[in-house]
Amino acid sequence: MENLKEILTEYTEKIDAVISERELAEVKATLFGKSGAITELMKNLKNVPPEQKPQVGKQINDLRVALNTLCDGKEKDLHRLAIERSINEEAIDLSIDGNFKRIGTLHPVNQIKNKLVDYFVGNGYIAYDSPEIETDYYNFQALNIPLDHPARDMQDTFFVSDGILLRSQTSSGQIRLMEKHKPPLKMICPGRVFRADDDSTHSPVFHQMEGLVIDKNVTLCDLKGTLEGFAKFIFGTQTEIRFRPSYFPFTEPSVEVDVSCFNCHGKGCRVCKNTGWIEILGAGMVNRRVLENCGIDPDEYRGFAFGMGLDRITMILCAINDIKLLWENDVRFLKQFD
Ligand code: PHE
C-alpha cells in the first residue's frame, strides 16, 4: 500500500513536469509498458495472499485509472498548447502593407475597338485582319487610285521601298477580302494605319476600322441604317446622323458622316466646336471599278463601305484634346479610363 502511494506521488510529479509529447510517451512507457511500474504490480498480484487479492487488486486498478487520467489530461494540455503556439507563430499581421502588383488595363483605344468589333460581329460581320505592310496595288491602284492620281495627295504615305508601303488606310482590306471570297460579304477590318502627319489631332500611326458589305440590292439606305445603328450604339440612343456629299475614289457616291453631338445634343458646345455635329467617318457605295478589280460583277452585286478613325472616336468619347496623350503611355493618364 505504501508503495502504491509513493508511485502515485512520484508519477503525479513526473507527469506534471512533462513538456512534450515525446516525454509523455516515455513516462507512459515506464508506467504501462512491458516492465512498467503498473504492469509489474499487476504481475506481482499473484504473490498476494488470496484473501487480500480483491482489495489489493482494486487499489492497483484505482492507481492505474488515476495515472491514466493524469496522462490523458496532460495530452490534451499539450495538444492545446501546440495549437496556441502555431496560431501565434503563423499569425498574419494585417497592418503590414501588401506586396501588390499593379494589373494593367486595356488601352482606351482597344476598349473602343473591342466594343465596336463586338457590335459588328454581333450583327453578322466577320472581323478581318489585313497586312500593315502593303503593296501600292492594294493600298491605291485596286481602290481606283492610279499612279499620279491627285487623290494620293490626300494621304501622305510612308514608302518602305519601290511599290511597298505602310498602308495608309484599312481600305486595302476590302480588296484582299473581295479577291479571296465571293459575295455576299459582311466584314470589318480594324487595324493600324500610317501617314506622314503629325499635330495635335494627327499621329503618324493611328487606327482605323473599315466596314464592307457586298450583296445583291444593297443601297445607300442600307448604309444609312447601318451607320445610324452604330452611332446610337456608341454615342447613345438619342444620336442622329447626317450625310454630306464627299469624294473618295473607291466609293461612288461618297459621303462624309456626322453624328449629332452627344454632349450638347445639337445645341453647340466645346466638343462639337459649336456646330452641334461631329464628323466621324467617310463612307459610300463601293465604286463599280473596285468590284471589277476584284472579279465581282458590278451589275449583279453592289455594296457599301465605311472607314472610321478609332483614335478619333476615342478622343471624342474620352474628351481628350491631344492625340499624343494616347501614345505617350503615361499610366497616370491611361488609368483614368480603367
Ligand atoms: N479610307 C478612307 C480614309 O482613310 C475612309 C473610307 C473608307 C471612305 C471606306 C469611304 C469608304 O479616309
Side-chain angles (χ1 to χ4, degrees):
M1 292 300 168
E2 276 307 303
N3 197 9
L4 294 188
K5 259 195 199 131
E6 264 168 36
I7 292 180
L8 183 62
T9 358
E10 184 192 340
Y11 276 91
T12 304
E13 272 167 27
K14 272 192 182 165
I15 294 168
D16 205 40
V18 156
I19 55 161
S20 72
E21 301 204 6
R22 193 177 51 82
E23 278 179 28
L24 183 64
E26 277 168 16
V27 174
K28 272 166 110 173
T30 61
L31 278 172
F32 312 111
K34 234 177 171 187
S35 44
I38 302 289
T39 321
E40 289 299 324
L41 286 172
M42 297 289 212
K43 279 186 201 158
N44 286 336
L45 199 56
K46 62 176 185 292
N47 303 326
V48 174
E51 65 280 8
Q52 286 183 23
K53 251 188 197 163
Q55 204 206 341
V56 175
K58 185 181 179 301
Q59 301 268 7
I60 296 174
N61 199 45
D62 286 350
L63 176 65
R64 192 183 61 81
V65 170
L67 289 171
N68 224 343
T69 311
L70 283 175
C71 284
D72 284 353
K74 190 66 181 189
E75 199 170 335
K76 282 197 188 108
D77 286 352
L78 289 174
H79 191 65
R80 187 174 42 77
L81 283 173
I83 290 175
E84 272 171 17
R85 199 178 316 124
S86 75
I87 287 174
N88 287 333
E89 278 168 9
E90 293 163 21
I92 300 167
D93 183 349
L94 295 175
S95 65
I96 290 179
D97 275 350
N99 179 17
F100 295 112
K101 299 260 184 303
R102 238 190 69 75
I103 300 170
T105 54
L106 280 183
H107 190 282
V109 172
N110 276 334
Q111 292 179 34
I112 298 290
K113 183 194 80 179
N114 290 351
K115 212 172 153 175
L116 289 176
V117 169
D118 281 354
Y119 174 79
F120 282 105
V121 168
N123 280 289
Y125 289 66
I126 60 150
Y128 189 69
D129 204 15
S130 189
E132 291 178 348
I133 300 174
E134 263 304 0
T135 62
D136 190 283
Y137 177 77
Y138 286 101
N139 196 79
F140 291 125
Q141 290 172 50
L143 286 161
N144 194 33
I145 315 174
L147 294 164
D148 306 326
H149 193 283
R152 289 193 178 217
D153 297 342
M154 286 163 81
Q155 302 173 2
D156 252 326
T157 311
F158 288 114
F159 284 88
V160 178
S161 61
D162 210 19
I164 309 287
L165 46 83
L166 300 181
R167 69 174 170 193
S168 63
Q169 48 184 349
T170 45
S171 302
S172 54
Q174 291 187 30
I175 306 299
R176 288 196 174 264
L177 181 89
M178 286 192 281
E179 262 190 356
K180 281 214 190 73
H181 301 277
K182 294 273 144 274
L185 297 169
K186 277 174 101 179
M187 143 202 111
I188 46 161
C189 177
R192 277 195 290 192
V193 296
F194 309 83
R195 286 181 204 179
D197 217 350
D198 205 355
D199 59 38
S200 68
T201 51
H202 296 90
S203 156
V205 184
F206 61 105
H207 298 76
Q208 282 191 336
M209 194 171 83
E210 196 79 7
L212 177 72
V213 171
I214 307 285
D215 207 342
K216 293 174 177 167
N217 309 319
V218 175
T219 69
L220 197 67
C221 261
D222 296 316
L223 173 63
K224 199 161 188 189
T226 299
L227 293 179
E228 203 171 290
F230 142 79
K232 287 186 190 308
F233 169 74
I234 198 83
F235 295 109
T237 47
Q238 299 187 355
T239 309
E240 286 169 41
I241 62 168
R242 74 174 183 191
F243 279 7
R244 279 180 293 113
S246 185
Y247 172 76
F248 298 103
F250 35 92
T251 47
E252 182 61 35
S254 300
V255 291
E256 209 78 58
V257 183
D258 300 337
V259 293
S260 58
C261 182
F262 62 91
N263 191 46
C264 64
H265 303 295
K267 283 196 218 69
C269 71
R270 208 167 52 94
V271 175
C272 58
K273 301 196 184 83
N274 282 319
T275 62
W277 295 92
I278 306 168
E279 183 189 319
I280 50 154
L281 55 83
M285 300 306 290
V286 179
N287 191 310
R288 294 176 62 90
R289 293 216 185 125
V290 173
L291 293 173
E292 276 165 4
N293 288 342
C294 300
I296 294 172
D297 180 0
D299 292 321
E300 193 183 357
Y301 286 102
R302 306 195 298 176
F304 62 74
F306 55 88
M308 60 184 84
L310 294 175
D311 315 71
R312 185 170 154 71
I313 292 178
T314 307
M315 286 171 71
I316 293 168
L317 285 170
C318 298
I320 298 165
N321 56 14
D322 191 332
I323 196 167
K324 299 291 171 314
L325 288 166
L326 287 175
W327 307 117
E328 280 169 349
N329 284 338
D330 184 335
V331 286
R332 290 169 305 178
F333 170 78
L334 292 174
K335 78 177 173 196
Q336 297 176 57
F337 308 99
D338 189 343

